[in-house]
Protein backbone atom coordinates (compact mmCIF):
# COMPACT_ATOMS: atom_id res chain seq x y z
CA UNK A 1 0.00 0.00 0.00
CA UNK A 2 1.26 3.49 -0.82
CA UNK A 3 2.48 5.62 2.06
CA UNK A 4 0.31 8.58 3.04
CA UNK A 5 1.51 12.07 2.02
CA UNK A 6 1.83 14.64 4.78
CA UNK A 7 -0.22 17.79 4.35
CA UNK A 8 1.68 21.04 4.26
CA UNK A 9 0.67 24.58 4.98
CA UNK A 10 2.37 27.02 2.69
CA UNK A 11 3.17 30.69 2.98
CA UNK A 12 5.05 33.24 0.93
CA UNK A 13 6.81 32.32 -2.30
CA UNK A 14 10.59 32.49 -2.22
CA UNK A 15 13.26 33.39 -4.73
CA UNK A 16 16.92 32.94 -3.87
CA UNK A 17 18.87 34.93 -6.44
CA UNK A 18 22.67 34.77 -6.62
CA UNK A 19 24.66 37.12 -8.86
CA UNK A 20 28.29 37.56 -9.75
CA UNK A 21 29.63 41.07 -10.21
CA UNK A 22 31.47 41.66 -13.50
CA UNK A 23 34.23 43.71 -11.85
CA UNK A 24 36.02 44.25 -15.17
CA UNK A 25 33.11 46.08 -16.78
CA UNK A 26 32.35 47.79 -13.43
CA UNK A 27 35.87 49.20 -13.34
CA UNK A 28 35.67 50.25 -17.00
CA UNK A 29 32.43 52.19 -16.45
CA UNK A 30 32.66 55.91 -15.78
CA UNK A 31 32.30 57.20 -12.23
CA UNK A 32 28.96 58.78 -13.24
CA UNK A 33 27.66 55.54 -14.64
CA UNK A 34 28.69 53.66 -11.51
CA UNK A 35 27.00 56.25 -9.29
CA UNK A 36 23.83 56.03 -11.37
CA UNK A 37 23.86 52.23 -11.00
CA UNK A 38 24.42 52.45 -7.22
CA UNK A 39 21.66 55.04 -6.77
CA UNK A 40 19.18 53.00 -8.74
CA UNK A 41 20.12 49.83 -6.82
CA UNK A 42 19.67 51.62 -3.50
CA UNK A 43 16.29 52.98 -4.52
CA UNK A 44 15.20 49.42 -5.40
CA UNK A 45 16.36 48.34 -1.94
CA UNK A 46 14.34 51.20 -0.42
CA UNK A 47 11.27 50.08 -2.38
CA UNK A 48 11.72 46.51 -1.12
CA UNK A 49 12.14 47.85 2.43
CA UNK A 50 8.78 49.59 2.06
CA UNK A 51 7.19 46.32 0.96
CA UNK A 52 8.69 44.70 4.04
CA UNK A 53 7.50 47.50 6.36
CA UNK A 54 3.98 46.99 4.97
CA UNK A 55 4.38 43.23 5.70
CA UNK A 56 3.75 42.38 2.06
CA UNK A 57 7.00 40.49 1.70
CA UNK A 58 10.55 40.40 2.93
CA UNK A 59 14.07 40.28 1.57
CA UNK A 60 17.71 40.02 2.63
CA UNK A 61 21.03 40.68 0.93
CA UNK A 62 24.29 38.87 1.70
CA UNK A 63 27.78 38.93 0.26
CA UNK A 64 28.75 35.39 -0.75
CA UNK A 65 32.08 34.02 0.46
CA UNK A 66 33.95 32.17 -2.28
CA UNK A 67 33.63 32.04 -6.06
CA UNK A 68 30.09 30.68 -6.44
CA UNK A 69 28.61 34.20 -6.52
CA UNK A 70 29.11 37.67 -5.06
CA UNK A 71 25.59 38.64 -4.02
CA UNK A 72 22.88 36.48 -2.49
CA UNK A 73 19.34 37.84 -2.31
CA UNK A 74 16.40 36.06 -0.77
CA UNK A 75 12.99 37.50 -1.63
CA UNK A 76 9.62 36.51 -0.18
CA UNK A 77 6.36 37.60 -1.79
CA UNK A 78 2.68 36.54 -1.55
CA UNK A 79 2.59 35.35 -5.17
CA UNK A 80 4.99 33.96 -7.76
CA UNK A 81 3.97 36.82 -10.07
CA UNK A 82 5.35 39.36 -7.63
CA UNK A 83 8.63 37.46 -7.67
CA UNK A 84 8.92 37.74 -11.45
CA UNK A 85 7.86 41.40 -11.27
CA UNK A 86 10.65 42.27 -8.87
CA UNK A 87 13.17 40.10 -10.68
CA UNK A 88 12.33 41.78 -13.99
CA UNK A 89 12.55 45.29 -12.49
CA UNK A 90 15.93 44.39 -11.01
CA UNK A 91 17.15 42.90 -14.32
CA UNK A 92 16.19 46.12 -16.14
CA UNK A 93 18.15 48.27 -13.70
CA UNK A 94 21.50 49.85 -14.52
CA UNK A 95 23.24 47.87 -11.79
CA UNK A 96 22.13 44.56 -13.37
CA UNK A 97 24.15 45.47 -16.48
CA UNK A 98 27.19 44.64 -14.36
CA UNK A 99 25.83 41.37 -12.95
CA UNK A 100 26.05 37.82 -14.22
CA UNK A 101 23.55 35.16 -13.17
CA UNK A 102 25.14 32.67 -10.76
CA UNK A 103 22.26 30.61 -9.33
CA UNK A 104 18.59 30.87 -8.50
CA UNK A 105 16.09 28.83 -6.57
CA UNK A 106 12.29 28.99 -6.53
CA UNK A 107 10.29 27.61 -3.61
CA UNK A 108 7.55 28.41 -1.11
CA UNK A 109 7.70 28.64 2.69
CA UNK A 110 6.41 25.32 3.95
CA UNK A 111 5.39 23.76 7.23
CA UNK A 112 4.57 20.08 7.28
CA UNK A 113 1.91 18.67 9.53
CA UNK A 114 3.79 15.73 10.98
CA UNK A 115 2.97 16.81 14.51
CA UNK A 116 -0.56 17.77 13.41
CA UNK A 117 -0.56 20.82 15.64
CA UNK A 118 0.07 23.67 13.16
CA UNK A 119 -3.03 25.72 12.43
CA UNK A 120 -2.82 28.41 9.73
CA UNK A 121 -4.87 30.71 12.00
CA UNK A 122 -2.39 30.50 14.89
CA UNK A 123 -0.41 33.80 15.02
CA UNK A 124 2.80 31.84 15.78
CA UNK A 125 2.30 29.75 12.63
CA UNK A 126 1.45 32.86 10.58
CA UNK A 127 4.73 34.39 11.71
CA UNK A 128 6.55 31.43 10.22
CA UNK A 129 4.53 31.34 7.00
CA UNK A 130 4.82 35.09 6.34
CA UNK A 131 8.10 35.94 8.06
CA UNK A 132 10.12 39.11 8.12
CA UNK A 133 13.53 37.57 7.49
CA UNK A 134 16.15 38.16 10.21
CA UNK A 135 18.98 40.55 9.43
CA UNK A 136 21.59 38.44 11.18
CA UNK A 137 25.26 38.54 10.32
CA UNK A 138 25.46 35.28 8.32
CA UNK A 139 23.23 33.32 5.99
CA UNK A 140 23.54 29.86 4.50
CA UNK A 141 21.41 28.39 1.72
CA UNK A 142 21.33 24.91 0.22
CA UNK A 143 18.80 22.76 -1.60
CA UNK A 144 18.12 19.16 -0.58
CA UNK A 145 16.23 15.98 -1.36
CA UNK A 146 14.98 13.06 0.66
CA UNK A 147 16.50 9.90 -0.84
CA UNK A 148 14.33 7.67 -2.97
CA UNK A 149 16.49 4.66 -3.85
CA UNK A 150 16.82 1.03 -2.82
CA UNK A 151 16.02 0.46 0.85
CA UNK A 152 16.26 4.18 1.61
CA UNK A 153 13.05 5.48 0.11
CA UNK A 154 11.56 8.32 2.18
CA UNK A 155 8.42 8.30 0.07
CA UNK A 156 7.74 4.63 0.81
CA UNK A 157 8.06 5.02 4.61
CA UNK A 158 4.81 5.05 6.51
CA UNK A 159 3.58 8.30 8.02
CA UNK A 160 4.26 7.32 11.63
CA UNK A 161 7.90 6.49 10.92
CA UNK A 162 8.44 9.75 9.01
CA UNK A 163 6.79 11.69 11.85
CA UNK A 164 9.10 9.96 14.35
CA UNK A 165 12.17 10.86 12.29
CA UNK A 166 11.02 14.47 11.91
CA UNK A 167 10.42 14.69 15.65
CA UNK A 168 14.00 13.57 16.28
CA UNK A 169 15.12 16.18 13.70
CA UNK A 170 13.20 18.95 15.42
CA UNK A 171 14.78 18.05 18.78
CA UNK A 172 18.26 18.59 17.35
CA UNK A 173 17.13 21.84 15.74
CA UNK A 174 15.63 23.17 18.95
CA UNK A 175 19.02 22.99 20.67
CA UNK A 176 19.94 25.94 18.43
CA UNK A 177 17.05 28.18 19.51
CA UNK A 178 18.20 31.81 19.39
CA UNK A 179 21.45 30.76 17.68
CA UNK A 180 20.16 29.68 14.25
CA UNK A 181 16.93 30.66 12.54
CA UNK A 182 15.80 28.20 9.87
CA UNK A 183 13.36 28.64 7.00
CA UNK A 184 12.31 25.53 5.11
CA UNK A 185 10.88 26.14 1.67
CA UNK A 186 9.27 23.44 -0.47
CA UNK A 187 10.23 23.27 -4.13
CA UNK A 188 8.77 20.04 -5.50
CA UNK A 189 7.34 21.06 -8.89
CA UNK A 190 9.18 24.40 -8.79
CA UNK A 191 12.88 23.69 -8.90
CA UNK A 192 15.48 20.95 -9.20
CA UNK A 193 15.55 19.82 -5.57
CA UNK A 194 12.74 19.09 -3.11
CA UNK A 195 13.45 21.67 -0.39
CA UNK A 196 15.47 24.80 0.14
CA UNK A 197 17.13 25.25 3.52
CA UNK A 198 17.91 28.82 4.58
CA UNK A 199 19.73 29.37 7.85
CA UNK A 200 20.64 32.60 9.61
CA UNK A 201 23.27 32.89 12.36
CA UNK A 202 25.07 35.59 14.33
CA UNK A 203 28.12 33.34 14.50
CA UNK A 204 29.10 31.60 11.23
CA UNK A 205 30.59 28.63 13.06
CA UNK A 206 27.17 27.66 14.42
CA UNK A 207 26.01 26.96 10.84
CA UNK A 208 28.63 24.25 10.54
CA UNK A 209 27.90 22.89 14.00
CA UNK A 210 24.16 22.53 13.34
CA UNK A 211 24.49 21.04 9.86
CA UNK A 212 27.15 18.62 11.12
CA UNK A 213 25.14 17.55 14.15
CA UNK A 214 22.10 16.92 11.96
CA UNK A 215 24.10 14.56 9.73
CA UNK A 216 23.86 12.07 12.62
CA UNK A 217 20.07 12.23 12.91
CA UNK A 218 18.57 9.21 11.15
CA UNK A 219 16.53 11.36 8.80
CA UNK A 220 19.64 13.08 7.46
CA UNK A 221 22.02 10.11 7.74
CA UNK A 222 19.70 7.79 5.80
CA UNK A 223 17.67 10.12 3.58
CA UNK A 224 19.41 13.50 3.23
CA UNK A 225 20.89 14.46 -0.15
CA UNK A 226 22.33 17.91 -0.66
CA UNK A 227 23.00 20.37 -3.46
CA UNK A 228 25.33 23.34 -3.53
CA UNK A 229 25.93 25.36 -0.37
CA UNK A 230 26.10 29.16 -0.36
CA UNK A 231 27.29 31.06 2.69
CA UNK A 232 27.56 34.79 3.11
CA UNK A 233 27.94 37.85 5.30
CA UNK A 234 25.25 40.48 5.57
CA UNK A 235 25.56 43.44 3.20
CA UNK A 236 23.67 46.47 4.47
CA UNK A 237 22.46 49.30 2.27
CA UNK A 238 24.90 51.64 4.02
CA UNK A 239 27.85 49.41 3.16
CA UNK A 240 27.08 49.25 -0.56
CA UNK A 241 29.08 52.36 -1.56
CA UNK A 242 32.21 51.04 0.10
CA UNK A 243 31.69 47.54 -1.27
CA UNK A 244 31.33 48.84 -4.84
CA UNK A 245 34.04 51.49 -4.73
CA UNK A 246 36.90 50.70 -7.15
C1 LIG B 1 17.21 25.60 13.99
C2 LIG B 1 17.17 24.44 13.39
C3 LIG B 1 16.00 23.65 12.94
C4 LIG B 1 14.80 23.40 13.57
C5 LIG B 1 14.33 23.92 14.94
C6 LIG B 1 14.00 22.56 12.70
C7 LIG B 1 12.72 22.09 13.01
C8 LIG B 1 11.92 21.45 12.06
C9 LIG B 1 10.56 21.02 12.29
C10 LIG B 1 9.80 21.21 13.60
C11 LIG B 1 10.09 20.47 11.12
C12 LIG B 1 8.71 19.81 10.87
C13 LIG B 1 7.60 20.77 10.76
C14 LIG B 1 7.77 21.79 9.67
O1 LIG B 1 7.85 22.96 10.04
O2 LIG B 1 7.83 21.42 8.51
C15 LIG B 1 11.15 20.59 10.16
C16 LIG B 1 11.02 20.20 8.82
C17 LIG B 1 12.09 20.16 7.94
N1 LIG B 1 13.39 20.48 8.22
FE1 LIG B 1 14.10 21.29 9.92
N2 LIG B 1 14.74 22.31 11.56
C18 LIG B 1 15.95 22.94 11.67
C19 LIG B 1 17.02 22.94 10.76
C20 LIG B 1 16.99 22.19 9.59
C21 LIG B 1 18.13 21.96 8.74
C22 LIG B 1 19.53 22.43 9.00
C23 LIG B 1 17.70 21.20 7.69
C24 LIG B 1 18.56 20.62 6.58
C25 LIG B 1 18.82 19.16 6.85
C26 LIG B 1 20.24 18.86 7.21
O3 LIG B 1 20.47 17.76 7.79
O4 LIG B 1 21.15 19.64 6.89
C27 LIG B 1 16.30 21.02 7.84
C28 LIG B 1 15.51 20.34 6.92
C29 LIG B 1 14.14 20.23 7.08
C30 LIG B 1 13.27 19.74 6.06
C31 LIG B 1 13.70 19.34 4.64
C32 LIG B 1 11.99 19.70 6.57
C33 LIG B 1 10.72 19.26 5.86
C34 LIG B 1 10.75 17.75 5.81
C35 LIG B 1 9.51 17.09 5.33
O5 LIG B 1 9.64 15.89 4.98
O6 LIG B 1 8.43 17.68 5.31
N3 LIG B 1 15.89 21.60 9.01
N4 LIG B 1 12.26 21.14 10.76
Amino acid sequence: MAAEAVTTIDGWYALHDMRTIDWTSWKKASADERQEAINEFKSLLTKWEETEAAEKGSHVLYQVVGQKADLMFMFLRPTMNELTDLETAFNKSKFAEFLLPAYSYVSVIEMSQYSGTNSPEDPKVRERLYPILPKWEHMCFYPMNKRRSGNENWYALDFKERARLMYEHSKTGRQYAGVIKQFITGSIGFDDWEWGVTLFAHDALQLKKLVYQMRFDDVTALYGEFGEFFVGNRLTKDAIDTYLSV
Side-chain angles (χ1 to χ4, degrees):
M1 202 183 85
E4 189 192 339
V6 67
T7 47
T8 62
I9 41 181
D10 305 273
W12 277 341
Y13 288 85
L15 173 67
H16 292 74
D17 188 333
M18 283 58 150
R19 308 279 176 131
T20 299
I21 298 176
D22 179 355
W23 290 108
T24 309
S25 57
W26 183 249
K27 281 193 273 187
K28 279 186 186 154
S30 70
D32 281 356
E33 250 189 301
R34 284 198 299 264
Q35 199 53 55
E36 191 196 325
I38 290 173
N39 292 347
E40 202 186 336
F41 180 38
K42 283 199 201 160
S43 60
L44 274 174
L45 285 167
T46 304
K47 201 175 146 201
W48 299 335
E49 280 162 12
E50 286 162 8
T51 306
E52 187 169 89
E55 298 185 4
K56 290 183 173 145
S58 185
H59 71 281
V60 288
L61 171 57
Y62 285 75
Q63 210 182 314
V64 175
V65 187
Q67 296 179 357
K68 289 172 183 162
D70 290 312
L71 301 173
M72 168 161 62
F73 296 92
M74 177 179 179
F75 297 106
L76 295 176
R77 289 293 181 272
T79 63
M80 257 199 196
N81 303 58
E82 285 155 286
L83 288 178
T84 48
D85 287 349
L86 78 80
E87 189 187 2
T88 307
F90 182 51
N91 286 339
K92 286 178 182 171
S93 72
K94 181 85 191 157
F95 184 49
E97 290 175 25
F98 303 98
L99 301 178
L100 303 166
Y103 188 86
S104 72
Y105 205 77
V106 180
S107 54
V108 64
I109 296 266
E110 176 189 292
M111 288 173 80
S112 53
Q113 292 282 43
Y114 280 115
S115 65
T117 53
N118 295 324
S119 152
E121 277 78 47
D122 177 348
K124 280 229 156 65
V125 171
R126 293 189 66 81
E127 244 173 64
R128 292 199 32 214
L129 294 175
Y130 312 108
I132 300 305
L133 295 168
K135 311 300 184 260
W136 290 8
E137 193 56 35
H138 303 283
M139 171 179 165
C140 166
F141 169 78
Y142 54 96
M144 68 172 290
N145 287 342
K146 295 271 176 88
R147 186 163 296 132
R148 200 163 10 100
S149 62
N151 288 331
E152 273 76 57
N153 186 336
W154 176 255
Y155 297 90
L157 284 185
D158 72 42
F159 185 96
K160 264 201 176 147
E161 176 61 0
R162 284 181 286 131
R164 186 188 71 76
L165 290 164
M166 288 315 296
Y167 176 66
E168 182 196 31
H169 164 83
S170 71
K171 276 204 302 194
T172 302
R174 273 200 286 273
Q175 292 170 26
Y176 289 79
V179 174
I180 302 259
K181 264 203 175 180
Q182 99 281 12
F183 295 87
I184 301 303
T185 51
S187 47
I188 293 181
F190 293 165
D191 218 316
D192 299 343
W193 296 77
E194 296 172 344
W195 287 275
V197 180
T198 307
L199 307 172
F200 294 93
H202 298 294
D203 173 5
L205 195 57
Q206 296 303 318
L207 296 168
K208 172 179 171 290
K209 289 197 183 294
L210 167 69
V211 175
Y212 178 68
Q213 196 180 335
M214 281 196 170
R215 293 287 153 108
F216 294 92
D217 288 339
D218 284 347
V219 64
T220 301
L222 297 173
Y223 303 101
E225 287 176 353
F226 301 93
E228 266 190 283
F229 280 66
F230 293 85
V231 69
N233 308 325
R234 187 168 178 230
L235 181 60
T236 62
K237 199 164 70 173
D238 292 343
I240 282 171
D241 286 271
T242 311
Y243 174 59
L244 291 174
S245 89
V246 285

